[in-house]
Amino acid sequence: MLRTAVSLFNEKGVHATSLEDVAKALNVTKPTIYHYFANKDEILFECVRRGVEGIRDIGVDVEQQGGNGLERLKAYMRNYAVVMTNDFGICVTRTADHELSPESRARFREMKRETDTLIRRVVEQGMRDGSIAPGDPRLVTFTLAGALNWIARWYDPRGPMTPEEIADGCVATLVHGLATRDKEK
């Protein structure tokens, strides 16, 4: 049910998708949906929750990995980018806070703050161990998350690149930047 709903939310938009649309796509009645969820807000929240938890779980795993801060951050960014190509990750970016009820919105924002904290910790660790250039960890984190989240806006599963190729390319660009490098370095 959630996979169908998230696909419709991403394709048509939350406001343009009714529970009747979801029921019709599943070939069930609306009361069947109400057996599992009280309303569309619950379904939408569950979809964004799954996406944000996917990102958060990556952060938890990365914190337990060995290696320096940059190595862990690269692993985090790569997996984050892949999440942003799946329906639940896409839904996180395409869902505006105001589309959720006040209670769901508060929970959604708290989950996003938690993922921000996880990324920021890895960035700070990398700055401390010297593997990441010194800077403002908050600005670095916002820049990385913004770039990775935006994949959900332009990603097309019918496109020429796999999610993994997109992730590798985005991470390389974010880590190495755009400036040419001296060939001796």
Side-chain angles (χ1 to χ4, degrees):
M1 185 178 306
L2 291 173
R3 289 195 184 284
T4 299
V6 77
S7 179
L8 290 170
F9 291 155
N10 291 341
E11 179 185 328
K12 297 172 61 172
V14 172
H15 287 299
T17 302
S18 68
L19 289 184
E20 185 65 40
D21 295 329
V22 176
K24 188 175 181 179
L26 290 167
N27 200 28
V28 299
T29 62
K30 264 175 63 172
T32 301
I33 293 175
Y34 287 121
H35 177 75
Y36 298 98
F37 296 97
N39 53 43
K40 186 165 82 170
D41 179 70
E42 279 189 13
I43 295 172
L44 178 59
F45 178 77
E46 185 59 24
C47 291
V48 296
R49 184 193 65 76
R50 286 177 180 227
V52 174
E53 281 187 355
I55 298 164
R56 186 198 64 216
D57 291 349
I58 293 163
V60 170
D61 290 345
V62 163
E63 282 196 317
Q64 296 171 3
Q65 280 182 218
N68 64 36
L70 181 60
E71 291 165 344
R72 290 193 319 275
L73 183 62
K74 285 167 42 176
Y76 196 149
M77 290 189 304
R78 184 180 191 283
N79 291 321
Y80 189 141
V82 171
V83 167
M84 297 316 296
T85 65
N86 75 45
D87 278 336
F88 293 112
I90 290 169
C91 191
V92 169
T93 295
R94 294 187 180 177
T95 300
D97 287 1
H98 71 271
E99 293 176 309
L100 292 160
S101 69
E103 179 184 310
S104 293
R105 181 180 319 130
R107 292 171 57 202
F108 184 44
R109 287 178 178 169
E110 179 57 36
M111 289 186 305
K112 290 195 301 187
R113 277 191 296 276
E114 186 179 344
T115 60
D116 175 76
T117 298
L118 288 167
I119 298 170
R120 194 173 305 176
R121 259 197 315 255
V122 175
V123 168
E124 289 168 343
Q125 290 164 356
M127 288 179 179
R128 278 193 304 275
D129 71 28
S131 62
I132 296 175
D136 180 342
R138 184 173 179 256
L139 182 60
V140 171
T141 301
F142 286 161
T143 301
L144 296 176
L148 296 171
N149 285 337
W150 207 252
I151 292 169
R153 294 287 183 176
W154 56 262
Y155 172 69
D156 181 352
R158 299 168 307 225
M161 296 176 78
T162 66
E164 292 76 16
E165 291 169 331
I166 289 168
D168 290 340
C170 288
V171 170
T173 300
L174 289 167
V175 170
H176 302 296
L178 300 173
T180 59
R181 303 286 187 251
D182 183 357
K183 290 182 183 177
E184 294 176 5
K185 293 183 180 179

